[in-house]
Amino acid sequence: MAAEWWKKAVVYQIYPRSFKDSDGDGIGDLNGIIEKLDYLEELGIDAVWLSPVCKSPQDDNGYDISDYQDIDPLFGSLLDMERLIKEAGEHGIKIIMDLVLNHTSDEHRWFLEAKKSKDNPYHDYYVWRDGEEGVLPNDMRACFGGPAWEWVPELSQYYFHQFSVKQPDLNWENEAVRREIYEMIRWWMDKGVGGFRLDVIDQIAKEPDLKITGNGPRLHEFIRELSRETFQKGDCVTVGECWGADTERAKLYSAPDGSEFSMVFQFEHMDLDGGETFKWNDRRIDLVELKAVLSKWQVELEGKAWNSLYWCNHDQPRMLSRLGNTSSSYRETSAKMLAICLHMMQGTPYVYQGEELGMTNAPFEKLEDFRDIESINAYHQYVENGRFDHDTMMRYLRYKSRDNARTPMQWDDTENAGFTKGIPWIMVNPNYREINAADQMARPDSVFHFYQKLIRLRKEHEIVVYGHYELLMPDDPELYVYTREWNGEMLLVVCNFSDNERRFVFPEGLDAKKAELWIGNYPEAQAADDMVLRAYEAMVFYFGTQMRNRAEGTIYG
Ligand code: GLC
């Protein structure tokens, strides 16, 4: 396997609105990020994925771009962005920009032109269908609720939008659109960005008449052209956000020949608790299913593709509230357990801001506390059509809303968690008095220092990057146990996902006396052939010489 830098890297995702506000308007900004570069360097990460900061009416918090080549004044200026790229570089950190190429804002110059007339040169930049008012081209729905078609009376046409009405889909069939996009990307590359995250990129090759959105027929043709015309001309890391990816597609998206992207960011493990009412429920993810899905990706991609490892991002609730335990007795222990479980796998880990502090979901009380367009629209859709009553829907929103990940970063225990001197755009989680970066950095046994150590282990040991993965005890509903093997070395990773004490017997052929405990989330832990794991206990054992004798078959039977 080629040793590209990003295979050894750890990426930190920043949601700029909620990271650090430098000017007191209650919204995080680029200068706020610059203030915190020392913090990021101390954590040990290699790159920052920045959620969109380009000019935008903020209908979907920046995922609706009205000018790809300018910075939204909320976040700063182009000069601030250039300074961020430069200063981050001095801290050894690359900046990965979020490219939203499936759609623009309806306030983008292209769309304003496109709406003027059918003969306007920009008209065909978007997806239009003739029609009659009230008779939609078909029954396709938008991801944020409502029909995917919006009527423009002056043109007697509908335009297509997979997300909100303010996010018209671009027409990738039109070569002029593709050319403009490539030019824009090369312009950012010249500014020194280290890479790109490609928003909902598997939805660009749509065929609305056939009701195809994801994985359209020309998808890989478009992506290869995009990659050839842009990323391959420089040393960029690229990560494709692909909601519809399975492991077979992932081998195309992140083919080792570099013809598409560096890696894929997929959702199969995140969707495990979804269902008939999309994500709106309060089901827990089943550990046996989670292990099966994560292991499938580990095994099937090895040597053939490269995956992103993550528990959380700006579209997901906090993982600690979803899979861990937020009570004061177990919050830090379970946060560290989740971190071990993920960071010892193959792939590039992503740390979502605040995850390294053990941040949790927020106690939103009223609908007015939410800011996210998806959550608010979903509330209206499900409550107004009688599917859920108010209390049920509020419970689901509290558990699953994307706003859980978007509350301000908790820097210290001063007002507004040290995030802003103004009024924060969304509520600060009141638990900032206990959970904040200042406290975490001061305590050697904190979640922050645990992440720091896990990141260091990846840098120091190739086995963490390249080791061959094998799942043990697949049917155990509480323990997640796996091994990694590389050049005669072995790791045994043991995670107790429950609050029960659990007996754990070392796998046959692995001698606990030869195990070196790399990292564990309880003090005074040690290896024993027959041991009791405490609630949420997790450990990584290292064996300098491989115990397995391949000629005799696997030791685990
Ligand atoms: C992606 C983004 C999400 C956004 C959507 C539409 O899934 O991560 O935040 O709402 O695309 O751009």
Side-chain angles (χ1 to χ4, degrees):
M1 264 183 284
E4 287 96 346
W5 67 268
W6 41 264
K7 290 191 174 161
K8 296 187 172 170
V10 176
V11 180
Y12 187 89
Q13 186 192 348
I14 289 184
Y15 198 65
R17 312 190 128 240
S18 306
F19 191 64
K20 178 74 177 97
D21 175 22
S22 72
D23 60 7
D25 66 356
I27 297 176
D29 46 45
L30 296 178
N31 285 327
I33 300 173
I34 294 172
E35 279 174 33
K36 295 296 180 186
L37 287 169
D38 287 341
Y39 171 84
L40 297 172
E41 184 177 349
E42 191 163 344
L43 183 58
I45 52 104
D46 304 271
V48 161
W49 152 22
L50 212 56
S51 278
V53 288
C54 289
K55 220 174 198 158
S56 157
Q58 305 290 322
D59 185 53
D60 184 19
N61 291 355
Y63 284 91
D64 48 318
I65 292 177
S66 54
D67 187 345
Y68 289 103
Q69 285 166 278
D70 203 355
I71 298 298
D72 197 279
L74 280 179
F75 301 122
S77 65
L78 209 46
L79 280 177
D80 296 330
M81 185 64 182
E82 287 167 350
R83 195 159 70 88
L84 171 64
I85 294 169
K86 180 168 160 289
E87 294 195 18
E90 289 160 8
H91 284 76
I93 296 171
K94 296 180 197 280
I95 299 293
I96 299 176
M97 283 193 69
D98 213 320
L99 278 178
V100 187
L101 306 179
N102 175 68
H103 45 269
T104 68
S105 161
D106 65 341
E107 296 179 36
H108 193 289
R109 185 176 55 88
W110 298 341
F111 193 74
L112 297 176
E113 288 295 319
K115 253 188 357 182
K116 287 184 181 161
S117 79
K118 291 184 190 170
D119 330 312
N120 190 290
Y122 291 96
H123 187 72
D124 195 37
Y125 272 41
Y126 296 87
V127 181
W128 300 92
R129 292 293 177 267
D130 292 334
E132 255 176 70
E133 186 167 13
V135 187
L136 304 179
N138 60 31
D139 61 359
M140 289 175 82
R141 310 279 302 170
C143 298
F144 296 157
W149 298 102
E150 183 70 11
W151 178 243
V152 177
E154 307 85 78
L155 299 177
S156 289
Q157 281 192 314
Y158 286 91
Y159 69 84
F160 182 65
H161 62 93
Q162 297 187 56
F163 295 89
S164 91
V165 268
K166 288 189 64 62
Q167 293 167 296
D169 270 54
L170 281 167
N171 176 16
W172 274 72
E173 300 285 334
N174 179 347
E175 199 184 332
V177 171
R178 306 204 301 273
R179 297 278 146 220
E180 291 232 35
I181 286 176
Y182 305 155
E183 215 173 287
M184 173 275 286
I185 295 174
R186 290 192 294 259
W187 182 84
W188 277 113
M189 287 172 67
D190 288 344
K191 295 211 172 296
V193 301
F196 300 96
R197 176 260 186 188
L198 292 110
D199 189 67
V200 291
I201 198 69
D202 58 347
Q203 290 171 222
I204 58 172
K206 48 238 152 197
E207 298 254 353
D209 303 316
L210 303 174
K211 301 194 185 175
I212 295 174
T213 51
N215 299 333
R218 296 187 69 189
L219 178 62
H220 293 280
E221 173 197 334
F222 290 154
I223 294 179
R224 283 185 200 130
E225 183 185 272
L226 159 70
S227 170
R228 207 170 46 238
E229 296 294 323
T230 59
F231 317 133
Q232 291 174 35
K233 296 184 189 293
D235 177 27
C236 282
V237 61
T238 48
V239 47
E241 187 204 27
C242 303
W243 289 85
D246 56 16
T247 52
E248 284 312 306
R249 287 233 171 229
K251 292 176 198 165
L252 298 175
Y253 289 126
S254 63
D257 66 2
S259 54
E260 298 198 6
F261 303 130
S262 315
M263 63 184 114
V264 59
F265 197 96
Q266 52 80 29
F267 292 86
E268 199 176 342
H269 62 303
M270 284 290 162
D271 290 341
L272 281 173
D273 55 7
E276 184 220 335
T277 48
F278 183 46
K279 61 179 166 186
W280 306 112
N281 60 48
D282 54 6
R283 279 215 305 275
R284 293 281 285 192
I285 293 176
D286 177 81
L287 185 66
V288 172
E289 286 178 28
L290 179 70
K291 292 194 289 189
V293 166
L294 291 175
S295 302
K296 178 178 74 183
W297 282 84
Q298 289 290 300
V299 170
E300 291 186 16
L301 265 51
E302 190 181 323
K304 302 194 182 92
W306 198 255
N307 200 7
S308 307
L309 304 172
Y310 70 96
W311 283 139
C312 194
N313 75 5
H314 67 292
D315 292 329
Q316 305 289 337
R318 293 278 174 188
M319 203 50 167
L320 195 51
S321 302
R322 199 166 170 190
L323 264 183
N325 186 321
T326 55
S327 72
S328 55
S329 355
Y330 294 128
R331 187 177 58 79
E332 294 213 338
T333 312
S334 64
K336 292 172 184 171
M337 182 277 291
L338 289 169
I340 282 195
C341 184
L342 195 81
H343 280 250
M344 288 296 115
M345 290 187 194
Q346 186 175 100
T348 298
Y350 286 69
V351 180
Y352 179 71
Q353 66 183 43
E355 180 186 331
E356 77 283 14
L357 310 175
M359 278 178 64
T360 66
N361 278 359
F364 298 109
E365 277 172 22
K366 310 178 292 296
L367 185 61
E368 298 74 58
D369 293 337
F370 291 92
R371 298 284 176 273
D372 169 31
I373 182 172
E374 180 194 55
S375 306
I376 296 168
N377 288 0
Y379 174 90
H380 291 298
Q381 181 185 331
Y382 287 101
V383 173
E384 281 158 22
N385 73 12
R387 188 70 178 76
F388 300 131
D389 60 28
H390 167 83
D391 290 344
T392 308
M393 191 63 198
M394 287 304 291
R395 196 167 78 241
Y396 296 164
L397 287 180
R398 240 174 259 128
Y399 186 47
K400 286 283 190 65
S401 167
R402 312 195 288 185
D403 276 342
N404 282 300
R406 299 176 178 187
T407 62
M409 179 73 174
Q410 294 165 202
W411 291 107
D412 56 38
D413 65 1
T414 64
E415 204 184 354
N416 295 328
F419 161 70
T420 179
K421 299 242 178 307
I423 299 165
W425 70 279
I426 188 171
M427 74 180 262
V428 176
N429 193 321
N431 65 16
Y432 72 91
R433 294 194 190 277
E434 298 83 56
I435 306 174
N436 61 68
D439 171 68
Q440 290 279 316
M441 291 179 81
R443 266 192 304 116
D445 66 344
S446 65
V447 180
F448 178 89
H449 286 112
F450 205 81
Y451 269 81
Q452 198 182 41
K453 186 161 181 198
L454 285 169
I455 293 169
R456 207 163 51 228
L457 285 169
R458 175 169 296 265
K459 303 246 169 304
E460 289 170 357
H461 301 277
E462 286 203 328
I463 187 172
V464 180
V465 181
Y466 300 113
H468 166 76
Y469 169 101
E470 188 169 331
L471 177 69
L472 274 56
M473 308 167 70
D475 300 322
D476 191 297
E478 292 174 339
L479 301 188
Y480 194 151
V481 183
Y482 63 89
T483 54
R484 305 285 304 278
E485 268 184 271
W486 178 248
N487 282 349
E489 298 173 309
M490 188 176 242
L491 292 180
L492 172 67
V493 181
V494 184
C495 301
N496 181 3
F497 270 70
S498 79
D499 57 4
N500 299 324
E501 288 201 340
R502 278 294 311 267
R503 179 170 176 222
F504 175 68
V505 179
F506 251 55
E508 210 191 315
L510 285 183
D511 182 353
K513 286 191 284 303
K514 295 196 177 139
E516 180 192 325
L517 178 65
W518 261 9
I519 186 167
N521 60 353
Y522 273 85
E524 83 280 332
Q526 65 181 45
D529 289 325
D530 195 342
M531 61 196 298
V532 175
L533 300 172
R534 289 158 282 190
Y536 303 105
E537 183 154 20
M539 284 170 282
V540 181
F541 299 110
Y542 169 79
F543 301 87
T545 48
Q546 187 182 352
M547 311 301 291
R548 179 192 300 237
N549 181 344
R550 285 215 178 270
E552 290 168 14
T554 69
I555 49 177
Y556 310 122

